[in-house]
Short mmCIF file of all heavy atoms in Angstrom, two decimals:
data_model
loop_
_atom_site.label_atom_id
_atom_site.label_comp_id
_atom_site.label_asym_id
_atom_site.label_seq_id
_atom_site.Cartn_x
_atom_site.Cartn_y
_atom_site.Cartn_z
N ARG D 513 72.10 69.75 77.91
CA ARG D 513 70.74 70.14 78.29
C ARG D 513 69.99 70.64 77.06
O ARG D 513 70.59 71.07 76.09
CB ARG D 513 70.78 71.22 79.37
CG ARG D 513 71.49 72.50 78.95
CD ARG D 513 71.62 73.45 80.12
NE ARG D 513 72.32 74.67 79.76
CZ ARG D 513 71.73 75.74 79.24
NH1 ARG D 513 70.42 75.72 79.02
NH2 ARG D 513 72.42 76.81 78.92
N ARG D 514 68.67 70.55 77.15
CA ARG D 514 67.83 70.97 76.02
C ARG D 514 67.81 72.49 75.96
O ARG D 514 67.65 73.18 76.96
CB ARG D 514 66.42 70.42 76.18
CG ARG D 514 65.49 70.79 75.01
CD ARG D 514 64.13 70.15 75.16
NE ARG D 514 63.26 70.51 74.06
CZ ARG D 514 63.27 69.97 72.85
NH1 ARG D 514 64.13 68.98 72.61
NH2 ARG D 514 62.44 70.37 71.90
N PHE D 515 67.96 72.99 74.76
CA PHE D 515 67.97 74.45 74.55
C PHE D 515 66.66 74.85 73.88
O PHE D 515 66.24 74.27 72.87
CB PHE D 515 69.15 74.84 73.66
CG PHE D 515 69.16 76.29 73.30
CD1 PHE D 515 69.51 77.25 74.23
CD2 PHE D 515 68.81 76.70 72.02
CE1 PHE D 515 69.53 78.59 73.89
CE2 PHE D 515 68.82 78.04 71.67
CZ PHE D 515 69.18 78.99 72.61
N ASN D 516 65.99 75.82 74.45
CA ASN D 516 64.72 76.32 73.92
C ASN D 516 64.90 77.77 73.50
O ASN D 516 65.36 78.61 74.28
CB ASN D 516 63.62 76.23 74.98
CG ASN D 516 63.30 74.79 75.34
OD1 ASN D 516 63.25 73.92 74.46
ND2 ASN D 516 63.11 74.52 76.62
N LEU D 517 64.48 78.05 72.26
CA LEU D 517 64.57 79.41 71.75
C LEU D 517 63.48 80.28 72.36
O LEU D 517 62.36 79.82 72.63
CB LEU D 517 64.43 79.42 70.23
CG LEU D 517 65.65 78.95 69.43
CD1 LEU D 517 65.28 78.86 67.95
CD2 LEU D 517 66.81 79.90 69.62
N SER D 518 63.79 81.51 72.58
CA SER D 518 62.81 82.50 73.05
C SER D 518 62.57 83.49 71.91
O SER D 518 63.48 84.23 71.53
CB SER D 518 63.35 83.22 74.30
OG SER D 518 62.44 84.22 74.70
N TYR D 519 61.31 83.48 71.39
CA TYR D 519 61.03 84.28 70.19
C TYR D 519 60.67 85.72 70.52
O TYR D 519 60.97 86.62 69.73
CB TYR D 519 59.92 83.61 69.38
CG TYR D 519 60.31 82.23 68.92
CD1 TYR D 519 59.91 81.10 69.64
CD2 TYR D 519 61.09 82.05 67.80
CE1 TYR D 519 60.28 79.83 69.22
CE2 TYR D 519 61.46 80.78 67.38
CZ TYR D 519 61.05 79.67 68.10
OH TYR D 519 61.43 78.43 67.70
N GLU D 520 59.99 85.96 71.63
CA GLU D 520 59.71 87.31 72.12
C GLU D 520 59.06 88.18 71.03
O GLU D 520 59.61 89.19 70.60
CB GLU D 520 61.01 87.98 72.61
CG GLU D 520 61.64 87.28 73.79
CD GLU D 520 62.90 87.98 74.25
OE1 GLU D 520 63.27 89.02 73.65
OE2 GLU D 520 63.52 87.51 75.23
N LEU D 521 57.85 87.75 70.58
CA LEU D 521 57.13 88.53 69.56
C LEU D 521 56.55 89.82 70.13
O LEU D 521 56.54 90.85 69.46
CB LEU D 521 56.00 87.67 68.97
CG LEU D 521 56.47 86.41 68.23
CD1 LEU D 521 55.27 85.60 67.77
CD2 LEU D 521 57.35 86.78 67.04
N ASN D 522 56.04 89.76 71.38
CA ASN D 522 55.51 90.95 72.07
C ASN D 522 54.45 91.65 71.20
O ASN D 522 54.59 92.82 70.82
CB ASN D 522 56.65 91.91 72.42
CG ASN D 522 56.23 92.91 73.48
OD1 ASN D 522 55.13 92.82 74.05
ND2 ASN D 522 57.08 93.88 73.74
N CYS D 523 53.36 90.88 70.91
CA CYS D 523 52.32 91.41 70.03
C CYS D 523 51.62 92.61 70.63
O CYS D 523 51.15 93.50 69.90
CB CYS D 523 51.29 90.31 69.74
SG CYS D 523 51.92 89.06 68.61
N ALA D 524 51.51 92.68 71.95
CA ALA D 524 50.82 93.81 72.58
C ALA D 524 51.51 95.12 72.24
O ALA D 524 50.85 96.12 71.91
CB ALA D 524 50.76 93.60 74.08
N ALA D 525 52.84 95.13 72.33
CA ALA D 525 53.57 96.36 72.00
C ALA D 525 53.62 96.58 70.49
O ALA D 525 53.59 97.72 70.01
CB ALA D 525 54.97 96.29 72.57
#
Side-chain angles (χ1 to χ4, degrees):
R513 59 186 179 87
R514 182 176 180 79
F515 175 74
N516 295 319
L517 285 173
S518 176
Y519 298 97
E520 296 181 1
L521 297 176
N522 197 7
C523 287

